[in-house]
Amino acid sequence: MGWQNGGQAQNRGGGGKGPGQANHGGKVLQGLLMAFSLYSRIPVPQAEWSKGGMRYAFCFFPLVGVVIGAAVAGFDCLARVAHVGEVARSCVGAALPLLLTGGIHMDGFLDTVDARSSCQPRERKLEILKDPHTGAFAIIGGGVYLLMYLAVFSELGPAAFPAAGGVYVTSRALSGWAAVSFPKAKKDGMLTTVSAGTGYGAARIFLAAWWLSAAAFLVWFGGLVAGGAALAAATAAFGFYYHMAMKEFGGVTGDLAGYFLQVCELGMLAALAFFL
């Protein structure tokens, strides 16, 4: 890769960082690119899949939310300035997160709705999560969710931005923290694979810092009441996520993480819409 060649050339020249530091920096960059490759459709240079880079992937997961939040807030601002119709503004604003992520988290939401609606034992629910087919409950649940998301987004006034951008960072910080902290329901799967290579201690510190930054952003731009309500909604969703995952599935999975992220974002946006 280009950055590796450049680092080697710099070391041969006798200046700059040593080989170990350059290698460490390369792994950090790999983690950054892996986070965007795994959890978004935002174009980034292809990164080599390595355990070293995997250690940092979750550390940059909330950064994907920064880009999505900036895109949503920026679009809403431009749409209002351009006097775009309310229906068009709301539809595009609600669709942007799905378009930028490629629907990876919504896919988990749909699979989880199918599994939970089956009312089957834990083992059968885990099998349903792995089933590539989409059931009727998933279609119904997805349709209802998108309608509710559209309704909430249409109620967000100008005062809700840019505070609403912090929602997408908060949900990912909490989802990532749960991924490296909660018990896993399965020994295989994407979540287990990615989290297995993660330095848990460092990831928790980074994700906590992201959460604190997002919380400060929400309160600063949304106000203490509205921002606090959004954070309370996120906390409630997080508690529900842990209880549901442990009781019904015996731990978390990638699909459950996507389910939580979608529920968390909807709840936080609803809280902002109520006050702003």
Side-chain angles (χ1 to χ4, degrees):
M1 297 179 66
W3 55 264
Q4 289 176 322
N5 294 332
Q8 292 168 356
Q10 187 179 38
N11 289 329
R12 285 195 297 267
K17 299 177 179 179
Q21 291 174 303
N23 187 47
H24 177 76
K27 292 176 181 178
V28 172
L29 179 58
Q30 284 181 355
L32 170 63
L33 298 178
M34 286 173 62
F36 277 85
S37 298
L38 283 169
Y39 300 113
S40 81
R41 289 294 180 89
I42 300 169
V44 295
Q46 186 175 2
E48 179 184 355
W49 186 281
S50 69
K51 289 185 178 180
M54 204 180 299
R55 288 177 60 87
Y56 299 97
F58 272 123
C59 297
F60 293 107
F61 183 31
L63 187 58
V64 178
V66 172
V67 177
I68 294 173
V72 171
F75 166 76
D76 188 85
C77 179
L78 291 175
R80 293 180 191 276
V81 171
H83 302 290
V84 174
E86 188 68 17
V87 174
R89 182 189 67 83
S90 301
C91 287
V92 175
L96 263 180
L98 286 176
L99 295 174
L100 292 175
T101 60
I104 183 172
H105 307 301
M106 178 57 74
D107 177 71
F109 176 87
L110 297 178
D111 288 342
T112 303
V113 169
D114 249 350
R116 297 191 69 211
S117 300
S118 70
C119 299
Q120 296 294 315
R122 177 183 298 175
E123 292 73 17
R124 177 55 183 152
K125 286 183 177 179
L126 290 171
E127 291 177 3
I128 294 174
L129 289 181
K130 295 174 62 176
D131 192 335
H133 299 93
T134 302
F137 288 114
I139 296 174
I140 296 170
V144 171
Y145 178 90
L146 291 175
L147 286 174
M148 293 179 65
Y149 202 102
L150 177 60
V152 167
F153 200 93
S154 68
E155 293 297 320
L156 291 172
F161 297 93
V167 166
Y168 304 96
V169 182
T170 304
S171 61
R172 284 160 177 78
L174 290 175
S175 180
W177 200 91
V180 299
S181 302
F182 291 176
K184 308 298 185 295
K186 301 184 296 182
K187 294 182 179 180
D188 57 357
M190 179 62 74
L191 185 69
T192 301
T193 300
V194 176
S195 64
T198 300
Y200 287 177
R204 290 190 185 106
I205 293 173
F206 269 92
L207 292 166
W210 278 112
W211 182 87
L212 289 172
S213 299
F217 183 88
L218 279 162
V219 172
W220 181 266
F221 288 100
L224 183 60
V225 175
L231 293 172
T235 302
F238 194 66
F240 163 76
Y241 174 38
Y242 178 80
H243 176 75
M244 178 271 292
M246 297 305 299
K247 180 180 179 180
E248 298 185 31
F249 297 90
V252 298
T253 70
D255 286 322
L256 296 180
Y259 177 87
F260 160 72
L261 192 144
Q262 297 292 164
V263 170
C264 183
E265 288 182 1
L266 181 61
M268 293 184 72
L269 289 175
L272 289 177
F274 183 83
F275 289 101
L276 300 176

